[in-house]
Amino acid sequence: MIVIEKLEKSFNGRPVLTGLDLTIKDGESLVVIGRSGCGKSVLLKHVIGLMRPDSGHVYINGDDLTAMGEKELNQLRTRFGMVFQGAALFDSLSVGENVALPLREHKDLSEDEIKARVREKLKLVELEGVEDARPSSLSGGMKKRVGLARAIAMDPEFVLYDEPTTGLDPIMADAINSLIRNLQQRLSITSVAVTHDMTSAYRIGDRIAMLHGGKIIYHGTPEQVRNCEDPVVCQFITGSASGPITQS
Amino acid sequence: MNANHAMIGAHTIGQRVLEGIEQVGSVSLFFMRVLRAVPGFWRKGHLLFEQMVAIGVESIPLVLVTSIFTGGVAAVQAAYQFQDYVPMRYLGSVIGKSVVIELGPVLTALVVAGRVGASIAAELGTMRVTEQIDALETIGISPIRFLAVPRLLAGMIMLPLITVFSDFLAIGGAYVVALLSLDVATNTFMEGLRLFFHLRDVFGGLVKSLFFGVVITMMGCYFGFNAEGGAEGVGRATTRAVVASCLLILILDYMLASLLFRVIFV
Ligand SMILES: Nc1ncnc2c1ncn2[C@@H]1O[C@H](COP(=O)(O)OP(=O)(O)OP(=O)(O)O)[C@@H](O)[C@H]1O
Ligand SMILES: [Mg+2]
């Protein structure tokens, strides 16, 4: 379980998160929606300890992540996977080595076992036989999927997705959505995705939370969100240019 | 200029000085973090090897050309200054000393700073702005240990090695020029070279180059790690890394020379 308590973060005096509270239950798939620049990526980076909050806490199964040293944090992170907005593949390594890197670092596996694991994970994301390719030679969608394979290489308990479908064509986006859904259900992974793509949010979320003004202003099931009366949420999900979000 | 302008000017200068001090502080902190990560590095031999190739072996062509011509120029200039006052048998001595103590280490360092410092800053800066460094952290790998430590160690090993190489080439270049265009016989040149030769001079030069190796790789890593804001930010990081390395090399050269040749070796 991930519990986020009163998280505050500002950059150069400009507040981005202002006392954010959020709880993510085990095995659940939570989607955080919000406008571009509202702090979704910043929120995810706090959950995995890439950023330190100005104040507030993040508890992972009861342990306060914000109080951990580098060693503990690195240990904890082996239970996490993160898919970055821009894939963030290591371009000095081949695709196969990208996926193998966490295994080489943390697991005592033979070369054959590593190869098998890498092939299995790449197969899960429907990429086979690309082990030796360079990341720079892949399309955006393929990079995203390799990023996903790398994130699940260690069989993590938690996977964080930063805009898994932005910049992909609708068919590829749908393939990624069902992949995320499958992984979560088959491997009982707790997943947190942030996105501003509502199609994707409805597809992969058990629960959807809306981030606005540095706080979670609403959360509910996809059904509840669809029928939501909250004017801010309404404006966002219908994508209208006039409404409370753009007035303030 | 009125008082108001002066105030603004003073304020700007004050701010710059403060920023400078802050920068020195954060570079030192960064360096300490890298040093602390060195002991856990033994498992990563292949990373070190890769960096030794990138920093050392691939610098050889550049160092080769620079050294030969520097040696040649040194011979021509020394001969010109000797004119009829100093006998040519001292040419070898002057060349030997100046190359081993000063020209070899410093010129090699400056040339390598331009090549290696820039490429480290550009590579790590790109990794930073494309979130590859964040990605390393999320898979539980310390970027300091994985990226900075191998570069630091490779710099400390390779800089002295290519400096030795550069010393030989520069003296060789001087010898060829002396022989072909200054009418100095082989015997005369070699005699001079041997005359005031001290091994400790070579050693002093190599100690300097070891520190230059630290400076070049650490500036590249520091500015690369702290790059922000896309391609422009990477460009800025690269420039800063090279400028900072070159300045520090020259400043450190003075300090080490004072320490080595006026305190330790006397
Ligand atoms: N390292 C940083 N330094 C300074 N400001 C930052 C930093 N990271 C994020 N910000 C600021 O925080 C705000 C939120 O950024 P964030 O990347 O979280 O937005 P986002 O919701 O993920 O947007 P998008 O949907 O476009 O990815 C932005 O205004 C950004 O300028
Ligand atoms: Mg984002």
Side-chain angles (χ1 to χ4, degrees):
Chain A
M1 192 157 86
I2 303 175
V3 179
I4 302 168
E5 245 180 44
K6 300 202 179 54
L7 205 60
E8 286 184 25
K9 179 76 178 179
S10 38
F11 293 106
N12 310 318
R14 209 171 47 82
V16 174
L17 302 180
T18 53
L20 182 146
D21 292 296
L22 187 62
T23 301
I24 301 131
K25 295 195 271 296
D26 282 338
E28 161 181 68
S29 167
L30 177 83
V31 177
V32 178
I33 56 174
R35 293 193 77 193
S36 194
C38 74
K40 300 186 298 296
S41 298
V42 169
L43 171 62
L44 278 193
K45 285 181 181 169
H46 278 93
V47 173
I48 197 167
L50 285 175
M51 285 183 177
R52 299 266 176 179
D54 299 337
S55 70
H57 300 274
V58 177
Y59 298 97
I60 310 293
N61 295 343
D63 299 328
D64 188 356
L65 181 145
T66 54
M68 286 182 188
E70 201 169 337
K71 260 220 174 83
E72 279 174 283
L73 212 47
N74 277 345
Q75 206 50 48
L76 179 79
R77 280 170 181 152
T78 60
R79 291 155 57 197
F80 272 87
M82 177 155 179
V83 181
F84 283 84
Q85 200 164 351
L89 300 181
F90 308 120
D91 40 35
S92 59
L93 301 178
S94 69
V95 167
E97 282 305 312
N98 262 280
V99 182
L101 192 63
L103 300 172
R104 287 193 197 289
E105 178 72 16
H106 298 290
K107 291 236 152 91
D108 227 353
L109 298 176
S110 73
E111 208 47 40
D112 287 341
E113 286 169 312
I114 289 181
K115 277 226 170 69
R117 267 293 258 288
V118 169
R119 205 173 312 120
E120 173 205 328
K121 299 300 173 193
L122 283 173
K123 192 167 174 214
L124 266 179
V125 298
E126 292 167 41
L127 283 174
E128 277 161 286
V130 295
E131 277 96 334
D132 296 326
R134 288 272 139 192
S136 55
S137 69
L138 302 182
S139 77
M142 288 164 93
K143 281 186 197 159
K144 275 250 159 90
R145 284 186 283 162
V146 175
L148 185 48
R150 183 178 68 189
I152 58 174
M154 294 281 291
D155 299 324
E157 296 164 46
F158 310 95
V159 182
L160 313 179
Y161 301 92
D162 195 347
E163 316 226 354
T165 55
T166 346
L168 303 182
D169 71 69
I171 297 168
M172 180 59 72
D174 195 59
I176 296 260
N177 285 336
S178 46
L179 195 64
I180 294 175
R181 206 58 175 147
N182 267 337
L183 286 173
Q184 183 236 342
Q185 285 166 353
R186 278 221 309 257
L187 310 174
S188 64
I189 288 171
T190 307
S191 69
V192 185
V194 306
T195 187
H196 40 58
D197 171 1
M198 283 316 296
T199 326
S200 170
Y202 289 137
R203 276 285 306 271
I204 60 183
D206 293 325
R207 213 150 54 91
I208 297 178
M210 167 119 190
L211 174 58
H212 181 69
K215 289 191 176 70
I216 298 295
I217 55 156
Y218 181 88
H219 64 92
T221 62
E223 209 41 52
Q224 287 169 326
V225 169
R226 263 204 194 89
N227 306 321
C228 173
E229 310 268 283
D230 186 298
V232 175
V233 179
C234 254
Q235 189 195 348
F236 186 82
I237 61 177
T238 54
S240 118
S242 62
I245 298 178
T246 34
Q247 270 157 24
S248 57
Chain B
M1 199 162 86
N2 59 31
N4 204 8
H5 277 129
M7 279 293 286
I8 294 173
H11 186 73
T12 320
I13 293 171
Q15 217 158 28
R16 277 293 157 85
V17 170
L18 281 182
E19 276 169 23
I21 294 172
E22 202 179 297
Q23 191 88 304
V24 171
S26 81
V27 168
S28 316
L29 282 178
F30 178 77
F31 184 50
M32 296 312 278
R33 280 178 64 199
V34 178
L35 283 186
R36 266 204 304 273
V38 171
F41 182 71
W42 56 271
R43 281 198 313 146
K44 299 272 184 319
H46 65 285
L47 291 176
L48 179 60
F49 182 76
E50 266 168 36
Q51 289 307 319
M52 282 167 66
V53 172
I55 292 174
V57 180
E58 288 172 13
S59 294
I60 284 178
L62 196 59
V63 171
L64 187 124
V65 176
T66 333
S67 304
I68 292 179
F69 279 92
T70 308
V73 170
V76 172
Q77 299 284 339
Y80 169 73
Q81 289 179 49
F82 281 10
Q83 293 203 350
D84 293 330
Y85 310 113
V86 184
M88 276 303 166
R89 64 191 161 92
Y90 293 124
L91 185 67
S93 323
V94 167
I95 298 292
K97 283 260 181 207
S98 53
V99 163
V100 162
I101 294 178
E102 190 64 28
L103 293 176
V106 173
L107 282 174
T108 306
L110 291 176
V111 168
V112 174
R115 206 192 77 85
V116 172
S119 87
I120 291 178
E123 186 184 354
L124 298 189
T126 306
M127 290 186 75
R128 164 62 75 200
V129 301
T130 56
E131 299 186 310
Q132 291 177 51
I133 291 182
D134 286 338
L136 267 183
E137 286 195 60
T138 61
I139 57 182
I141 294 179
S142 149
I144 297 270
R145 188 157 54 86
F146 193 77
L147 299 171
V149 172
R151 284 168 174 78
L152 172 70
L153 297 182
M156 291 171 71
I157 297 169
M158 292 320 273
L159 252 267
L161 285 183
I162 42 182
T163 299
V164 171
F165 174 73
S166 157
D167 287 351
F168 273 107
L169 287 171
I171 292 174
Y175 165 67
V176 171
V177 169
L179 192 69
L180 296 184
S181 79
L182 300 173
D183 285 331
V184 179
T186 304
N187 263 345
T188 322
F189 188 84
M190 292 303 166
E191 201 59 29
L193 199 56
R194 226 167 302 158
L195 199 55
F196 296 106
F197 180 84
H198 296 297
L199 205 55
R200 63 169 193 228
D201 292 347
V202 180
F203 180 72
L206 296 185
V207 169
K208 290 207 286 191
S209 71
L210 183 114
F211 280 92
F212 297 157
V214 174
V215 166
I216 294 167
T217 50
M218 282 301 93
M219 287 300 115
C221 289
Y222 173 78
F223 286 103
F225 268 87
N226 290 298
E228 51 185 29
E232 195 194 345
V234 175
R236 216 165 26 230
T238 309
T239 314
R240 283 186 183 161
V242 176
V243 171
S245 305
C246 292
L247 287 179
L248 277 178
I249 285 169
L250 295 173
I251 295 170
L252 207 62
D253 183 38
Y254 169 73
M255 301 202 303
L256 286 171
S258 307
L259 187 69
L260 286 169
F261 299 104
R262 302 195 59 184
V263 181
I264 296 179
F265 289 165
V266 287

